[in-house]
């Protein structure tokens, strides 16, 4: 279920003198922060009993190397927490394309996907509440991101990650008040951005959206938003070829500061 809530104040509405009237919409994992190890850990626990007598660092160390390697491959093809379940399938070792990944995920029973997603989410909630220092330490902000958030003005986060986790990470880094709204557990990012624009009176062509998932970028661009494909997140050579074929605009990490000029 998609959820969203205001996180900070939102003084950047159109018509206010001296303020920007554009909107910056950002993905979270793979754009704002790197959480690869955290995602691997909760994915492992999504199909395993969570032994809460073992502290988080110990559990992370116990992850089998073959699973971690497979998860790194799966992460490049995934959009949602649900998709991480594929990392538990030995067949995932042979994935070479997005179509193969999608077919493998599509072959999974819906009940198993739902059970896994609930268990992985529960593990994440446990670490966030019971071992916050360990859990927060598994999230590293990309260079230049804090400065961008502080300078951009109107920022919304549109992410598959749950909203409480996003809020906790922003708060730990002193950034909660830089974000006007969080759309968490978001499966339809174009619709979320349209909703944010409608409530603020911001035209879609005044929005800059950044995501590391090429499919999300293309879907959001299709509704009239300027969508940029983050090159520092999760992607494959196949995705890069597809981006070139469709003329998708890439964005390098050292270019993010210039996004302020688009607002």
């Amino acid at each position: 279920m998609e959820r969203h809530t205001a996180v900070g104040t939102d003084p950047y509405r159109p018509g206010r003198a001296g303020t920007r009237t554009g909107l910056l919409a950002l993905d979270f994992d793979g754009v704002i922060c790197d959480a690869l190890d955290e995602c691997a850990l909760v994915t492992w626990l999504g199909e395993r009993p969570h032994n809460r007598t073992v502290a988080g660092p110990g559990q992370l160390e116990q992850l089998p190397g073959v699973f971690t390697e497979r998860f790194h491959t799966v992460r490049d093809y995934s959009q949602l927490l649900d998709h991480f379940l594929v990392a538990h399938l030995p067949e995932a070792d042979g994935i070479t394309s997005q179509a193969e990944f999608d077919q493998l995920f599509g072959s999974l029973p819906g009940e198993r996907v739902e059970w896994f997603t609930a268990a992985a989410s529960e593990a994440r909630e446990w670490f966030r509440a019971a071992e916050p220092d360990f859990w927060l330490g598994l999230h590293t902000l990309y260079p230049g991101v804090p400065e961008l958030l502080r300078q951009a003005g109107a920022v919304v986060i549109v992410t598959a990650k749950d909203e409480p986790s996003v809020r906790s990470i922003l708060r730990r880094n002193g950034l909660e008040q830089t974000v006007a709204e969080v759309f968490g557990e978001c499966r339809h990012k174009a619709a979320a951005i349209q909703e944010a624009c409608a409530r603020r009176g911001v035209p879609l062509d005044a929005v800059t959206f950044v995501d590391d998932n090429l499919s999300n970028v293309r879907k959001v661009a299709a509704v009239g938003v300027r969508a940029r494909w983050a090159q520092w997140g999760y992607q494959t050579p196949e995705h890069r070829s597809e981006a070139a074929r469709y003329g998708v605009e890439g964005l390098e990490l050292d270019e993010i500061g210039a996004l302020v000029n688009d607002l």
Side-chain angles (χ1 to χ4, degrees), residues 28-208:
F28 198 75
D29 283 357
V31 171
I32 291 178
C33 96
D34 178 10
L36 190 62
D37 288 343
E38 189 269 356
C39 291
L41 178 58
V42 300
T43 296
W44 177 251
L45 295 175
E47 287 267 293
R48 296 288 189 283
H50 182 183
N51 183 359
R52 295 176 178 176
T53 66
V54 178
Q59 297 203 39
L60 188 61
E61 291 174 1
Q62 291 175 9
L63 292 188
V66 65
F67 170 80
T68 301
E69 184 176 351
R70 186 185 301 142
F71 178 80
H72 289 182
T73 298
V74 166
R75 182 66 185 88
D76 288 340
Y77 293 102
S78 300
Q79 289 179 270
L80 304 168
L81 177 60
D82 309 27
H83 297 154
F84 293 171
L85 174 56
V86 175
H88 286 281
L89 307 179
E91 304 95 302
D93 292 335
I95 291 174
T96 60
S97 70
Q98 186 70 52
E100 291 175 356
F101 176 87
D102 293 342
Q103 182 178 16
L104 187 54
F105 176 74
S107 71
L108 293 167
E111 290 183 358
R112 182 179 178 185
V113 175
E114 291 178 6
W115 191 92
F116 162 80
T117 304
S121 297
E122 183 179 351
R124 175 171 284 159
E125 291 170 6
W126 162 264
F127 287 121
R128 190 177 69 237
E131 300 186 63
D133 289 337
F134 162 73
W135 182 79
L136 287 164
L138 296 178
H139 299 82
T140 304
L141 299 188
Y142 290 105
V145 168
E147 293 79 9
L148 171 65
L149 293 178
R150 293 187 179 105
Q151 297 171 14
V155 179
V156 297
I157 292 176
V158 187
T159 176
K161 205 176 193 76
D162 65 283
E163 178 263 341
S165 290
V166 171
R167 291 188 63 174
S168 295
I169 297 162
L170 290 172
R171 189 181 305 114
R172 168 57 68 95
N173 290 277
L175 296 170
E176 187 175 21
Q177 297 304 315
T178 68
V179 174
E181 192 166 10
V182 173
F183 290 81
E185 299 175 279
C186 187
R187 294 174 178 268
H188 305 288
K189 295 192 175 184
I193 292 171
Q194 288 173 312
E195 178 184 337
C197 287
R199 281 191 278 101
R200 291 170 171 78
V202 175
L204 288 170
D205 60 6
V207 180
T208 298

Side-chain angles (χ1 to χ4, degrees), residues 206-237:
V207 180
T208 298
F209 171 68
V210 182
D211 199 313
D212 65 312
N213 184 276
L214 182 60
S215 177
N216 287 336
V217 170
R218 292 187 61 197
K219 289 176 181 177
V220 171
V223 302
V225 170
R226 185 188 184 197
R228 305 292 300 275
W229 185 36
Q231 300 298 289
W232 59 92
Y234 305 105
Q235 56 178 252
T236 70

